[in-house]
Amino acid sequence: MIARVWQLLVVVLAGAVAGCAEDASKMRFAQNAAIANPVHRKARAVVEKTLEEHFGTPLDSVAWLKLPVNYGKAEGKVKSVDGRSVIVDFNAETSDLESLKSPELSRAGLLFTSGANQGESFLLASYDPSEKSFETLLPLKTAPAEGDQFVVAGQNLRHGRKLYARHCQHCHGINGDGDGTTAKYLNPRPRDYRLGIFKFTSTNKDTKASHDDLKRILSYGIPGTYMPSFVPMLKDNELAVIVEYIRWLAMRGELEVQLLKDLKNDYAADRARKEAKESKASTSEIENQIAKQLEEYVANPTEGLAAFIETVTGDMVSAWEGAETADTVIMPPVPRVPDTVASRERGKALFVKTDGGKCINCHGPTGRGNGFQTEDFQKNDAAGGFYEKRGLHDAWDQPIKPRDLTRGIYRGGRRPIDIYRRISQGIKGTPMPPVAATVKPEQIWDLVNYVLSVPFESVPRKAAKAHSVAGQPSEHGNAN
Amino acid sequence: MRKFWCAFFVFWPIVAIIYSIVASMTPSLGWWFPGASVTELGQRIDNLFYLILYIVTAVFIGTQIALVYVLWRASHSKDERAWFSHGSHSLEVIWSVVPSVILLFLALYQMDVWALFRVQAYFPKEARDAPIAEVTARQFEWRIRYPAPGKKLQLKPQPDDLYDVNDLHAPINRAVMIQLRSGDVQHSFFLPHLRVKQDAIPGQIIPIWFKAEKQGIFELTCAELCGWGHYKMRAQLTSEREVEYEAYLKKLQADQNYDGHATPSAVAKKDE
Ligand SMILES: [Cu+2]
């Protein structure tokens, strides 16, 4: 009885709260401000519209079947067509029908796998579970025939989004921009996925992170950062859908960056002002001209926006798909060189050699992460010129410190193979370079043996004192 | 109105007592306390708890009867005046001495359990001599460091130490000790099935021991609100036979030494 009253009370209160948050359904992904700011606002609007078309909004996400994301799928075939309504039958064995009853299916993606529309993908406008019929968002060019087979996808995306919202969003943000509400209290900052770069991967230097790489991070966390392990709290299938959602967010962010960078060439934010200065035309005339030009660009089927998206997504798809193939995974060609004093010494010699591995330049002579590069002004390749602050920066323009190897904290994992991969292929998005081209595998193993021995090297007393500024001896705990 | 209050104060204790009887007689309802502890010490802690519960129940019933008796008598007679006991020396002595005796009894009676639970000198020797792991709580996970098989846990990390996260393993029927630390703020190491709860305090190493007498996977959670991600600190204790425990350490060792060539016993047991 009492429980019942409480239930009612909770329902009433929830209703009141939902009333306030009515606009939640209109919530949008925020634009990548750092990259969008120098772009003309009309071009920015085009990008926003394009992305919304292909990815939807945070609460109404779209399974864009072109992308190599495991959206989860249900297969079926057409029974009959009634005007715009297509009556269908799902193959129960292959589908998760329970989740298809959800009205959220309205934004799932549909792909015909046979018939006149084979290979064409559509967004669903509505699905009626009682009639087992759906309508597509855009009219079908050719009416499907009875027996045409199709795939509807999206359950994983929805499941992933819900879990992401609960466990990840407060740090990594709704947009996957690493700018959630708690992010500003964290050092290092949570990862911003929108460059499509993840640091700790098993794949080679030119390839994306694989699904398993990301799952490993969720399972083991990243020591020395605020990224915790989510196992055993989350089950295997839950980790998998979160990973797919994160990959989807990363691809969305990447496409956004590419579109904005491309449009910046012709549609800079200050174009109207600049051109008005140079010519006799008024700014409003030029603004009109820009609007017209953009319209043409969007409408042009062969050289316009559609073609650009085609190329960019094509590259993106092959990059992400490549990460899932076995030949991009870095496996050392030789087993680990036995961890002997001689091997460590060879590794150390290589470590401090300024024309060899160059480790010393950043990690310093004793591996404390205090090499001279940390005190130098560094080039900003993306923006040109130099960074204002001394020291190293990462691809996200954040200051970054070379790892203090004496602490024995290995963010990307402490297994020999993890360290081998870090040295061999570098760390993506950071100044840590791949050395595989110049250093032989046996030598990399020597380096691994040395690096793993650094926390246990006896440090001469004087040197130890000089470094005791940091206060703590090299014990594991919370590093910065 | 007087009758109403009389009924009101008689109603609630009866409800409470009926609830307790029904709940304790039919554990399947899940209204009573959690099931028996899987450690002997836990059962002794439970026994102390129940002892206090019985005392409190007796006092509760006694005071409720007295209260209702007073109300009932007063509701029947308008003429009878209340007796003011204020200042009665003998009454004050009684209500000071009786609870003191009960409290003193409890304080003495629980001492050996407390010592066994908290005072390192009273820990079983086999546990004290060989701590099996160091558990470091941090926002928001449990990082675990085991000594290599056949070695002793050292205060400082050793090159062959084994690491895991959120997955503490311990052999059954053996008293084991772990060293509890915190990497940042205050946490609390809580094994509800084993009745073990101990705060992890930054800068301190706190020994805890337990002897699980049942095989299985038991919840390990943080019982101290330690930040916004407090709920994420849900780990597990795997209590297993000695051979399985050794196999676990061996597997951890193989995984940790994996170089891409040695057969990975399981490249990542968490990816299964
Ligand atoms: Cu905690």
Side-chain angles (χ1 to χ4, degrees), chain B residues 137-142 184-189 221-227 229-233:
Chain B
R138 78 178 200 115
Q139 290 171 320
F140 296 99
E141 62 185 4
W142 305 90
D184 37 46
V185 300
Q186 195 171 321
H187 300 272
S188 183
F189 179 91
T221 55
C222 180
E224 177 76 50
L225 182 59
C226 56
H230 170 58
Y231 80 97
K232 286 179 184 164
M233 296 189 69

Side-chain angles (χ1 to χ4, degrees), chain A residues 236-417:
Chain A
D236 208 56
N237 66 320
E238 293 176 315
L239 296 177
V241 294
I242 293 177
V243 167
E244 288 308 298
Y245 188 73
I246 289 169
R247 291 171 73 247
W248 179 80
L249 276 179
M251 290 178 208
R252 185 192 171 281
E254 245 187 303
L255 181 64
E256 182 180 30
V257 169
Q258 299 272 13
L259 284 171
L260 287 170
K261 279 190 172 163
D262 181 61
L263 286 171
K264 194 182 127 191
N265 298 331
D266 291 336
Y267 306 94
D270 55 357
R271 176 175 153 188
R273 197 166 42 85
K274 254 191 187 164
E275 279 182 17
K277 225 186 231 172
E278 286 161 12
S279 68
K280 292 259 155 61
S282 71
T283 27
S284 65
E285 274 167 2
I286 296 166
E287 286 289 353
N288 287 340
Q289 204 185 323
I290 289 174
K292 218 174 134 203
Q293 230 180 328
L294 260 173
E295 239 168 71
E296 277 165 21
Y297 176 70
V298 172
N300 188 334
T302 49
E303 283 164 26
L305 180 68
F308 181 76
I309 292 175
E310 190 74 29
T311 330
V312 171
T313 49
D315 293 347
M316 225 162 71
V317 167
S318 52
W320 285 98
E321 272 176 349
E324 304 301 328
T325 56
D327 55 339
T328 56
V329 174
I330 291 302
M331 286 313 235
V334 293
R336 182 180 181 182
V337 171
D339 181 21
T340 57
V341 175
S343 166
R344 289 181 188 182
E345 272 169 3
R346 287 196 300 273
K348 180 165 190 174
L350 215 60
F351 189 91
V352 298
K353 212 169 114 192
T354 45
D355 57 345
K358 291 190 184 162
C359 315
I360 186 175
N361 293 0
C362 295
H363 291 284
T366 52
R368 287 204 163 256
N370 55 358
F372 78 88
Q373 294 282 22
T374 60
E375 294 298 326
D376 222 345
F377 287 102
Q378 301 291 339
K379 263 200 190 130
N380 184 344
D381 288 332
F386 286 82
Y387 283 105
E388 270 176 36
K389 269 192 188 163
R390 285 171 190 232
L392 301 155
H393 290 73
D394 61 19
W396 297 268
D397 285 346
Q398 297 284 330
I400 184 174
K401 282 184 184 161
R403 190 67 41 244
D404 176 351
L405 299 170
T406 62
R407 303 199 60 161
I409 297 172
Y410 308 98
R411 292 188 180 174
R414 65 184 321 127
R415 299 176 304 169
I417 192 161

